Amino acid sequence: MVETLENLQHVYAKWEKKSSPYGRKGPAANTQPSYLAVTGSGRQAWKEKYGDTMRPQPFRRSRQRNKIPLAPMPKSNSLGHFKVMPTIFPETSKYERPFMGRCCSRCLASSRSHFFDEAIASQGLQNLLRLEPECNSKDIVSRIQYYLSWSSDRFTRHRYPNVSKVVLASTRVTDAIDRSVLEMAEKAESGGKSVKGVAKCPSKRAKSILNTMKAAISSGLLRFTAWFLDKVLSRFLNSVQVHSGQLEMVRRASEENVPVIFLPMHRSHLDYILITLILFHYDIRIPYVAAGDNLNIPVFSRLMKGLGGFFIRRKLDKKEGKKDYLYRAVLHTYMQELLRRGQNMEFFIEGGRSRSGKASTPKGGLISVVVDTYMDGVIQDAYLVPVSITYEKILDGTFNNEQMGNPKIPETFLRAVRGIWRVFMTHFGSVRVDFAQPFSLKEYLQSYQMGGAMNHVRRSSLTPIVPKNKSPSPGLKHAGSCSSLYGTDIVVEDSRQMIKELASHVIYTCIRTSALMSTNLLAFLLLTKHRQGATLQHIASTFDWLKEEVMIRGRDIGYVGKTPVVVNYASQLLGTNLVKRTYVDKKRHCSGSDLDNNNMDNVFLQPVTDLPHVFELAYYANAAISVFLLESIIATSVFAISDGEVFTSQSPGEEVLVSRLAVLEKAAELCGLLQYEFTFVPPCSNLDTELREALEQLILCEILGIKQYDDGNDMRQREWAQRLESSVSWANEDDDSDEDAELDEQLKVNVDVQESHDRLAFLLNVLAPFVEAYWVVGHNLTKLLEKDIPESEFMSLVQNCAMERVVSGVAGFAESVSMECIKNAMKAFDTLQVTETYFSTETEVSVKMLSLRDRYHDQEKLEQFIDDIEVCKL
């Protein structure tokens, strides 16, 4: 050992001799040359050697700065733990507003850098209700004239063509007419009727379909509506918040001479008008908006058509199982001709309005028309813009009636008038509209075709995929039918999957772009952390914590102000039907304001969890679930693997251990079960990777810990040691042992730490209502062992069972009665090959029947499936 140290000292001495400045040797090597020595007598030698183009650099003395004391780093025994340890500490975790909506860095690398710069992100929020034209005149007539001139200038820059004649003369529509004539003639002949006049009927019907469908944008109506809404919206809204930087990106995209497709989430009937109003104010071409025919009612239909709305059926086919080729051809051609002329378009990626407050499963029908138009070579590209709209208070009333299983009430003129009157008589807080960064459809298709969406391949430029009017790719083929709409005539599986992933990517971006309002955060807190109620002071404290957690994860909030004031405002906006306010000491209540420091602990807020009001409260809360979704999946999986031991009393020193691989496997299973409730990751990402990162996050938060062994090491250190040993060993290179196989490790649930215990309980409560609803549906599957049941009847049985559990006090969460959740569970069970549906032919009217698949007709296997859900239930 002594000899080794002497050898090392000898080596170090040699290194020090060779490491002198500028490579000089000798005694002067360790001294720094002065600036005078270089610039004085040696100036001529310097010029001869280097010329005049190189100047010697002066040696500046390092400036003495006041050192900032470093925050103490948390200690950890895990090897390499510093790589994932957050650099943010509680005393310094104050964040500026994050800039949301950037394009995906995996599959849209070029679009991510397009239209964006640092100035875009630095632009702040603006209140649309305050964006009036600047006019210094106080005269009313002068102000009106100035406004009309300002609005006229915006409209005359953009043209909105009439494409009716082109649509009716198109090959797609004429082929569909001929097909309809043949079908009608065959039907008439088989019935012994005359075929005279049959040829005229489809042509008249095509004209009728188009006249009912098409928009008729009116310049006068658009200008009047913009002026009217500027004056009226402030009567029932505090503000309409928009980010100037986001709209600047949209404006730049609109100048590229390609269609811009706006894809908003649908929350209210006001969505249609709000986006049009915002684009009008920012001098962006207003889009043609696809609206459901349920809004095609007197007066309002004319208004919506004049603002760019075109009406489409909520169900394209009137008869189940029979396609209406003529209607599909007219719709497809109308949209394609508008896109050919560079017109912008808008349609809701979810289809109808969300009944639960969270994002619904995306629909790919209309977006497939845009893809089909590009692949036909009709347009060179299109920019897609995901849009999210968040309301502090629901404008369209509640969906409690539908969540209780009752049918939707059709829209009528009188109901619309009553709804408008109710809006004017109520205060609805603020609205936040966020526009994501526009991305190129061409780049997305290129990424998908080259495998970039699945393999994370990145490209740096938007190179053309194929020459114009050529087939874009052997992998994505045009369907070639007369009415190509997704889910009907696009038979190429690659195209179907690509459109599905595109729609999923859009909805995921919408979710990540949406801001959370004060009512969202308060409702979320009340249903997850304060279900039994808490004082205003306590809720304000956890409200600050939740706000910080949301912003850490890159999501913005849609409010400002002191926390107690915000909480008090949000509780009043939600109303007494959703948040009950009581006072611990009524005498203290009379002595001062609720927001006084001495009175805040006297105000007690409690959520109303009775049916049906809990559905409305959950509507607001569900918007915040996406922030903690994957962490909640992991927490629920930990609870399931531990058989609920995390909340049972443990003996002193007894540990609750779970297997890492078992937790990840259960988490993936749980994601499959809830696939129709949430969009967990974008299609270009890997769910397993994201789940592993979420698990690491729970370790960093000290909810979980890594099991320490008697030698003081954990499994990570042992795994590292094993890999190091194998890399330097003389093992046979032909050995078939899998060195890259993932090693399992035991994770300790830190239930003995109160903070970790509370955080775990919070994450479990996020998904608990959904798990309970799915378990109730699964429990009722045993009824199918005896006989098949009509699907509608089975859903009623399930909801009645759930309601009985709530009434009897057995159910932990009244939200489990939600009809939408029950429907999503049945979709998931069908996808998981547990159940199947078919149409019965035993009656005159076909009835959709529900049955178990052969595998689950075995009672033991069915009960095992139900048990797999039950272990996740609180």
Side-chain angles (χ1 to χ4, degrees), residues 510-549:
C510 286
I511 295 170
R512 296 293 303 172
T513 306
S514 59
L516 296 178
M517 311 302 280
S518 60
T519 48
N520 299 133
L521 296 187
L522 179 59
F524 186 65
L525 272 180
L526 290 176
L527 291 180
T528 54
K529 287 185 75 72
H530 305 301
R531 203 172 180 90
Q532 303 305 318
T535 63
L536 178 59
Q537 188 174 32
H538 188 194
I539 291 176
S541 175
T542 54
F543 199 89
D544 276 332
W545 166 82
L546 182 60
K547 169 189 172 182
E548 188 169 323
E549 291 292 325

Side-chain angles (χ1 to χ4, degrees), residues 853-869:
R853 293 188 180 266
D854 294 340
R855 170 182 171 83
Y856 290 97
H857 267 293
D858 184 343
Q859 185 171 356
E860 183 178 349
K861 292 181 179 178
L862 180 60
E863 289 179 352
Q864 180 61 48
F865 174 76
I866 299 171
D867 290 343
D868 289 341
I869 302 176

Side-chain angles (χ1 to χ4, degrees), residues 412-479:
T412 63
F413 177 75
L414 291 178
R415 288 191 74 248
V417 171
R418 285 197 297 267
I420 292 174
W421 178 257
R422 182 185 62 84
V423 166
F424 278 105
M425 299 301 292
T426 312
H427 180 64
F428 291 92
S430 297
V431 182
R432 173 74 176 266
V433 184
D434 286 282
F435 294 80
Q437 185 178 7
F439 69 89
S440 167
L441 175 64
K442 178 192 292 186
E443 184 187 12
Y444 184 87
L445 296 181
Q446 183 186 41
S447 175
Y448 186 88
Q449 294 172 42
M450 297 178 64
M454 301 302 297
N455 301 322
H456 304 173
V457 178
R458 301 187 180 187
R459 283 155 301 279
S460 59
S461 61
L462 290 176
T463 55
I465 301 176
V466 289
K468 186 177 179 180
N469 298 327
K470 297 292 184 179
S471 177
S473 168
L476 296 176
K477 300 178 181 178
H478 174 55

Side-chain angles (χ1 to χ4, degrees), residues 308-326:
F310 64 96
F311 294 102
I312 61 175
R313 293 178 189 165
R314 298 182 70 83
K315 288 187 177 180
L316 298 183
D317 306 314
K318 289 186 175 180
K319 294 183 179 180
E320 190 74 34
K322 185 177 180 180
K323 299 176 185 176
D324 190 340
Y325 294 102
L326 184 57

